[in-house]
Amino acid sequence: MKPRTKLIHGGISSDPHTGAVSIPIYQVSTYKQKEIGVHQGYEYSRTGNPTRHALEELIKDLEEGTRGFAFGSGMAAIHAVLTLFNTGDHIIVTDDVYGGTYRIVTTILNRLGIHTTFVDTTDLHKVAQALQPNTKAIYIETPTNPLLKVTDIKQISTWAKLQDLLVIVDNTFSTPYWQTPLALGADIVLHSATKYIGGHSDVVAGLAIVNNHTLGEELHFIQNATGGILGPQDSWLLMRGLKTLGIRMEAHEQNTKEVVAFLSGHPAVQHINYPGLTSHPQHDVAKQQARGFGGMVSFDVGHADKVADVLSKLKYFTLAESLGAVESLISVPARMTHASIPKDRREELGITEGLIRISVGIEDSEDLIEDLARALD
């Protein structure tokens, strides 16, 4: 089944009870049991809900995994996955990682005695140097947020298996339409489904997918025990969003190519981060492991004053947190999504005060380019 067909016909594509081609919203908390412990597959909606289950089956199929899980937010999904580890364990984490992920591992996990080392995971030698006797996993974000660095998932996964480590991949920027990390050797895939999977800025959600039944049982136990589940209404919205993911991702990418071509020739732009550029350090890796380069771009205009000037003149790019929606969004990582990272750490990574991140929407590309031209000029 081809990717665009799988988006429509994967998982549970119709209601087995009525034949409805759209899975109903089962707005229910509990279920009638015939006798104690005898039920029709569901007993309490924290443990399982038919609408959420349909979403979880669909994302499992799309990511080529064995089991999927839907959570109330991307951070809830990340927290649940990181709860698989124990006091004294060590995790290697991509250095250029989303601010929320940085915050949870440095201010929450550390309280539990789970230690982390931030490493440039695009360099396997640096990853190997960070290995400790108590290392249990490698957490990769690729492409990264906001510098769009690309880690070779297959290379890292092959090395990790020799060290008996789990490989966790945040696949938010690429989505399963462009990239399937489990097929490249990863063990767990994460998504902030708020972004491209939902696609319409109307839902907050997270997804996790595993590649074996043991991990599935462990993660389901954590999800049920801690309760960070996604509700049926939001589960339905994600399934609706997924049906158009393919055509949206293609439209995002086409617009992004045109926007990047414009930015590349503008004198106010000092540097551009986009894996689709042949000048990108990991362009060949991105081309090899993904079917597309996505709709995220970051570029540097030099200093904060220039950023403020650009933002004040935009019409179609909306200044907002988040990304991956049909409308184009713009943000300043140092002051928004990555503000929780200390300033010296941001500067060390290259997240400068002049860095702008854009999520290119599916509007007419000429309007988007004219908008950026007016602002940058």
Side-chain angles (χ1 to χ4, degrees):
M1 196 186 302
K2 298 293 190 296
R4 278 171 63 170
T5 304
K6 192 183 290 187
L7 290 167
I8 308 297
H9 296 285
I12 302 169
S13 58
S14 63
D15 180 37
H17 304 294
T18 65
V21 296
S22 175
I23 299 297
I25 300 171
Y26 285 89
Q27 195 70 52
V28 59
S29 62
T30 193
Y31 307 81
K32 181 180 179 179
Q33 299 187 24
K34 295 179 181 178
E35 55 183 271
I36 297 172
V38 179
H39 50 76
Q40 299 179 63
Y42 299 94
E43 52 187 325
Y44 190 62
S45 276
R46 172 166 43 78
T47 306
N49 173 281
T51 313
R52 189 174 86 239
H53 176 65
L55 168 64
E56 292 171 336
E57 285 293 290
L58 177 55
I59 196 62
K60 176 204 74 175
D61 286 354
L62 295 176
E63 284 287 6
E64 301 181 21
T66 59
R67 195 163 180 179
F69 301 90
F71 294 87
S73 70
M75 291 312 305
I78 291 170
H79 178 260
V81 166
L82 294 178
T83 311
L84 289 165
F85 303 101
N86 301 310
T87 298
D89 287 348
H90 173 255
I91 305 171
I92 299 169
V93 182
T94 297
D95 57 359
D96 168 29
V97 74
Y98 168 57
T101 306
Y102 179 89
R103 180 173 54 222
I104 196 173
V105 300
T106 57
T107 65
I108 304 295
L109 281 193
N110 64 330
R111 299 181 195 175
L112 306 177
I114 300 173
H115 308 289
T116 54
T117 300
F118 293 95
V119 174
D120 181 358
T121 53
T122 67
D123 187 334
L124 182 58
H125 178 67
K126 292 180 179 178
V127 174
Q129 286 183 321
L131 184 67
Q132 299 178 13
N134 58 334
T135 303
K136 302 297 181 182
I138 304 174
Y139 185 106
I140 299 168
E141 193 175 273
T142 183
T144 62
N145 180 8
L147 299 177
L148 284 300
K149 295 194 298 188
V150 177
T151 294
D152 189 326
I153 300 171
K154 188 172 184 179
Q155 181 190 58
I156 290 286
S157 298
T158 300
W159 178 84
K161 282 178 172 52
L162 297 175
Q163 317 303 323
D164 197 25
L165 306 178
L166 290 177
V167 174
I168 305 163
V169 178
D170 186 328
N171 199 31
T172 298
F173 274 21
S174 289
T175 80
Y177 189 72
W178 287 143
Q179 181 173 273
T180 44
L182 297 182
L184 296 169
D187 300 287
I188 302 173
V189 172
L190 287 162
H191 290 278
S192 173
T194 310
K195 313 304 194 293
Y196 285 109
I197 287 177
H200 294 78
S201 298
D202 56 9
V203 61
V204 173
L207 298 170
I209 309 92
V210 299
N211 71 345
N212 67 70
H213 293 290
T214 299
L215 275 176
E217 287 299 311
E218 291 177 1
L219 193 53
H220 181 257
F221 178 84
I222 290 169
Q223 183 189 48
N224 187 45
T226 57
I229 57 166
L230 188 65
Q233 175 76 31
D234 289 341
S235 296
W236 184 87
L237 283 171
L238 287 190
M239 285 189 285
R240 186 179 67 168
L242 278 165
K243 289 180 180 180
T244 60
L245 180 66
I247 56 176
R248 285 190 287 108
M249 293 306 290
E250 291 174 6
H252 284 300
E253 176 152 320
Q254 181 56 43
N255 275 358
T256 303
K257 289 177 179 178
E258 296 176 34
V259 167
V260 167
F262 160 75
L263 291 173
S264 298
H266 200 286
V269 177
Q270 297 184 3
H271 180 72
I272 304 174
N273 302 303
Y274 183 62
L277 288 171
T278 56
S279 59
H280 188 283
Q282 295 92 40
H283 171 75
D284 290 340
V285 174
K287 188 176 181 180
Q288 183 178 14
Q289 72 183 16
R291 294 174 289 275
F293 300 110
M296 297 301 301
V297 184
S298 63
F299 58 96
D300 205 310
V301 294
H303 51 82
D305 290 343
K306 180 63 177 177
V307 169
D309 195 34
V310 169
L311 296 178
S312 69
K313 296 174 182 174
L314 291 168
K315 180 179 179 181
Y316 298 123
F317 281 85
T318 302
L319 178 64
E321 302 274 359
S322 200
L323 57 98
V326 290
E327 63 272 5
S328 293
L329 302 175
I330 190 166
S331 68
V332 184
R335 298 173 61 188
M336 297 173 73
T337 56
H338 290 67
S340 60
I341 299 176
K343 187 174 185 293
D344 58 344
R345 177 64 177 162
R346 291 199 307 266
E347 291 177 348
E348 180 185 348
L349 292 171
I351 304 173
T352 66
E353 296 293 322
L355 186 72
I356 294 173
R357 188 193 74 182
I358 58 174
S359 171
V360 181
I362 62 172
E363 303 96 335
D364 191 292
S365 62
E366 289 186 17
D367 287 330
L368 297 179
I369 290 170
E370 287 176 7
D371 201 28
L372 288 170
R374 180 172 55 250
L376 290 168
D377 291 343

